[in-house]
Amino acid sequence: MVQVLLTALVVVVLAGVAYTVAAARVVKQYERGVVLRFGRLRNDVRGPGFTMVLPGVDRLRKVNMQIVTMPVPAQDGITRDNVTVRVDAVIYFKVVDASSAVVEVEDYRFAVSQMAQTSLRSIIGKSDLDDLLSNREKLNQGLELMIDSPAVGWGVQIDRVEIKDVSLPETMKRSMARQAEADRERRARVINADAELQASKKLSQAAAEMSSEPAALQLRLLQTVVAVAAEKNSTLVLPFPVELLRFLERAQQPTAPEAVESPPQVPKAPAGTAPPVEPAEPVEPVESADPADPADPAESEETAEPAEPTEPTEPVPSSEAPASPSPPSPAPGPARTAPAPKRAPAAASPRLRPASTGSKPLARH
């Protein structure tokens, strides 16, 4: 009898342990439990911790309440300005109503993923390329509203949607690169022009300051020479100030206009003397074709005749002073003539021929 009681007690204990094990459930902190009894939803949602269900009667489904990060596959689309792009995004959402997430939709994750892809394609077709590249905040907000509207009925809240990348065709990339380069070049030219304007103003001010103090320009020149000489070079370029050239040019200019120079005056010969005779150009002797032809003695005697004496004349007063002092006049009397030079033998001296027809032969003095 005692053995039967002990056996029955052990069976009851084992049955109770088996029931407890079958009915015990543990819900984690970030989960919520939805109980379906005979397929019907129970109103009470089991919180985190230990809970019991009726084995074989109740069915517990755990729903994750954490924020889910889901990448949206890249979608090919055409923008409003007819540019083919490929856009991918990422979506952040969480379940706020566990009962609706279990009852209202079969798989809320898949539903949210498909809705995100559809909304992304729709937002691409409604936007321009510039908006996709530069105005993403507005597009993200519009995409979030498009996904969140149907997801509210599923017990899902869309926390954030971000467009991750926009892929462009290579031709479009090159066109945009050329546009950006042209814009940068335009800005660089404007900046250079502005810099030149500011520099010209500063240089004009510096020139005004240096004009009042000439030593300032010399000091600036010395500073430039020191800066150039600091480099390791074998040639030193020393600039020559233009102001110094202008100073020298002003120094060479006369203070008053000079008088017109009068032509040189030839001093008059004193009375009783013959006027000076300019030396004639030397004439090269021309040899006769006939070496045996002697010189004509008549011509030689004619050319060697002494000059006739001239009578003394009174000096004529001149209003203009001679350029150089005249030599003292000789005593009055008949003018003397220099003795005629001795005539060389005809055989020793070559015969002189006149330079031109009709002119007398030159005499040798």
Side-chain angles (χ1 to χ4, degrees), residues 3 33 48 58-59 61 103 107 111 113 133 149 154 161 177 202 221 226 231 253 283 344 361:
Q3 292 181 354
D58 296 341
R59 185 179 178 182
R61 293 190 60 178
V103 176
D107 188 351
S113 176
L133 297 176
S149 297
W154 304 336
V161 180
K202 295 298 181 182
L221 176 61
V226 171
E231 301 292 337
Q253 292 179 357
V283 180

Side-chain angles (χ1 to χ4, degrees), residues 48 95 99 214 301 307 318 362-363:
V95 178
S99 300
E301 291 177 0
S318 176
L362 298 176

Side-chain angles (χ1 to χ4, degrees), residues 72-77 87 89 91 110-126 142-144 146-147 150 154 161:
V72 181
Q75 302 297 314
D76 294 330
V87 183
I91 183 172
F110 181 75
V112 171
S113 176
Q114 294 300 318
M115 180 58 64
Q117 295 180 30
T118 305
S119 301
L120 183 59
R121 288 192 178 188
S122 177
I123 206 70
I124 290 173
K126 295 178 181 179
L143 188 59
E144 179 180 348
M146 293 179 66
I147 302 174
W154 304 336
V161 180

Side-chain angles (χ1 to χ4, degrees), residues 79-99:
T79 60
R80 190 167 58 181
D81 50 354
N82 298 327
V83 179
T84 304
V85 294
R86 185 179 181 87
V87 183
D88 58 350
V90 59
I91 183 172
Y92 303 89
F93 67 94
K94 63 180 179 179
V95 178
V96 293
D97 188 357
S99 300

Side-chain angles (χ1 to χ4, degrees), residues 318-357:
S318 176
S319 59
E320 297 180 359
S324 60
S326 60
S329 60
R336 296 181 179 180
T337 57
K342 295 181 179 181
R343 182 173 176 274
S349 60
R351 184 177 181 182
L352 299 178
R353 294 185 178 180
S356 61
T357 307

Side-chain angles (χ1 to χ4, degrees), residues 163-341:
I163 295 177
K164 186 167 61 176
D165 188 19
V166 179
S167 300
L168 299 175
E170 293 298 328
T171 55
M172 182 59 63
K173 289 182 180 180
R174 289 193 294 268
S175 300
M176 294 178 65
R178 288 195 299 268
Q179 178 183 0
E181 184 178 357
D183 185 49
R184 290 285 181 179
E185 186 176 357
R186 178 185 62 83
R187 291 167 57 186
R189 290 182 178 180
V190 171
I191 293 174
N192 288 336
D194 191 13
E196 291 292 338
L197 177 60
Q198 296 179 6
S200 62
K201 293 181 179 179
K202 295 298 181 182
L203 288 175
S204 62
Q205 295 177 5
E209 292 293 334
M210 289 184 178
S211 61
S212 60
E213 294 293 338
L217 183 61
Q218 187 67 19
L219 293 177
R220 188 68 185 90
L221 176 61
L222 294 177
Q223 291 178 359
T224 305
V225 171
V226 171
V228 173
E231 301 292 337
K232 295 182 179 180
N233 50 14
S234 58
T235 303
L236 177 61
V237 179
L238 183 62
F240 194 78
V242 182
E243 286 74 8
L244 183 57
L245 294 177
R246 293 176 180 173
F247 175 75
L248 296 176
E249 182 180 357
R250 287 196 299 268
Q252 291 179 359
Q253 292 179 357
T255 56
E258 298 179 357
V260 179
E261 296 181 358
S262 59
Q265 299 178 359
V266 180
K268 296 183 178 181
T273 59
V277 180
E278 296 181 359
E281 296 182 359
V283 180
E284 296 181 359
V286 180
E287 295 182 359
S288 176
D290 188 3
D293 186 11
D296 190 358
E299 293 180 359
S300 300
E301 291 177 0
E302 183 181 359
T303 57
E305 289 181 357
E308 295 180 359
T310 59
E311 295 180 358
T313 59
E314 295 181 0
V316 180
S318 176
S319 59
E320 297 180 359
S324 60
S326 60
S329 60
R336 296 181 179 180
T337 57

